[in-house]
Amino acid sequence: MSTAHEVMVPSTVEQNWSAGPYAEALRAGHGPLFLRRGDGWLLPLEVERWCARADAVDLQVLDRCEGAVLDVGCGPGRLVSELAAQGRTALGIDVSEAAVTHTVRIGGQALLTSVFEPLPDEGRWGTALLVDGNVGIGGDPGALLERLARLLAPGGLLIAETVPVDVDERLSVDLVRGTRGACVTGTPASASAPFPWARIGTPALLRYARPLDWRTVDQWSAGGRCFVALRSRDASSSAEPPKSTALISSQRARKPSPDRPVADG
């Protein structure tokens, strides 16, 4: 049986999601919350949907999942908690303490950590999820895909939600909470420091995936959202098969210390 690795405290960039406008919005259960580009362009974030129960589109995604599921950037945990309610093995990871706390409160398992830090059961996950814009994590889609290939079992499944237009954009953004008018004028209720992000449509994601030996399994859209399913490279027949139930069942949120995740190890 595995245990959670020790992880470092989130970097300055990741702390933008750990406090300030994002944490405030999650605690309130609603926005308005935006990603704001340097030129003032605003991308609304769907806090209300994230804080609600899994909807019909989400359930379609979860039906496609295989084995143990790692939800990268799980947010307030609607997908992880739904999988748990179905009796399936799932773990959410997020750099926001407010998100992890909410996830555990509604019945999911979650760790306070980054996808780029050591994680439990690396190389054994059956499915990884990148939904709700999380394909943009780190602002480098290629690096994110490389990392996920190492986390998944050989032949593991990645389900990624993409921007519903053909876009390939790396940018610096900050998080702002307040009315659209206030954000545009530069006087939002609260704002974070700038951090790297990416906006990726399906064609761009496939361009990043092909050189890394990802195989396209499916593409679909539902409820105005777009998704891609990719499968990682198979290992040789001598590779150890994936274990779908390797997570420790006692992972629960607790008050973090400087060198531990928000979970019992």
Side-chain angles (χ1 to χ4, degrees):
M1 183 173 292
S2 67
T3 58
H5 290 75
E6 298 291 323
V7 299
M8 294 187 297
V9 177
S11 68
T12 302
V13 171
E14 292 159 355
Q15 287 173 357
N16 287 312
W17 298 93
S18 300
Y22 181 66
E24 292 166 8
L26 288 194
R27 283 191 287 266
H30 61 80
L33 185 70
F34 305 89
L35 288 180
R36 181 176 60 179
R37 197 166 58 190
D39 61 4
W41 170 89
L42 295 173
L43 174 67
L45 301 181
E46 300 180 76
V47 178
E48 292 83 358
R49 179 171 66 80
W50 299 348
C51 290
R53 297 188 62 178
D55 61 21
V57 176
D58 296 327
L59 293 176
Q60 291 177 26
V61 171
L62 299 185
D63 284 345
R64 293 171 178 261
C65 293
E66 304 169 356
V69 180
L70 181 68
D71 187 1
V72 178
C74 66
R78 73 186 190 283
L79 301 184
V80 174
S81 63
E82 175 61 31
L83 287 167
Q86 295 178 12
R88 301 169 69 181
T89 301
L91 176 69
I93 59 171
D94 206 291
V95 296
S96 165
E97 183 180 346
V100 169
T101 299
H102 191 280
T103 298
V104 173
R105 185 184 303 127
I106 63 174
Q109 296 189 54
L111 294 178
L112 179 67
T113 188
S114 163
V115 66
F116 295 106
E117 297 293 344
L119 294 174
D121 295 320
E122 294 200 11
R124 298 184 183 277
W125 293 95
T127 303
L129 295 176
L130 278 179
V131 299
D132 301 332
N134 287 327
V135 71
I137 288 173
D140 187 342
L144 184 57
L145 287 171
E146 288 181 350
R147 175 60 175 147
L148 291 171
R150 295 194 296 271
L151 292 173
L152 286 168
L157 188 67
L158 167 63
I159 299 178
E161 183 173 356
T162 57
V163 178
V165 293
D166 187 4
V167 61
D168 183 358
E169 189 176 27
R170 301 190 193 191
L171 55 158
S172 178
V173 297
D174 60 353
L175 283 158
V176 290
R177 186 162 185 246
T179 65
R180 182 179 290 271
C183 293
V184 169
T185 60
T187 57
S190 57
S192 74
F195 59 93
W197 197 250
R199 296 180 68 239
I200 303 295
T202 295
L205 181 62
L206 297 182
R207 286 195 298 271
Y208 286 110
R210 288 189 196 101
L212 300 174
D213 293 326
W214 290 92
R215 176 169 57 86
T216 305
V217 176
D218 200 4
Q219 304 174 43
W220 72 98
S221 60
R225 299 164 64 189
C226 294
F227 300 90
V228 177
L230 301 171
R231 198 169 293 282
S232 64
R233 181 174 52 188
D234 290 328
S236 67
S237 58
S238 62
E240 185 178 356
K243 298 179 181 178
S244 62
T245 58
L247 286 175
I248 185 168
S249 61
S250 63
Q251 287 170 330
R252 292 291 185 268
R254 61 170 173 75
K255 183 176 177 58
S257 62
D259 60 349
R260 294 184 64 87
V262 180
D264 291 332

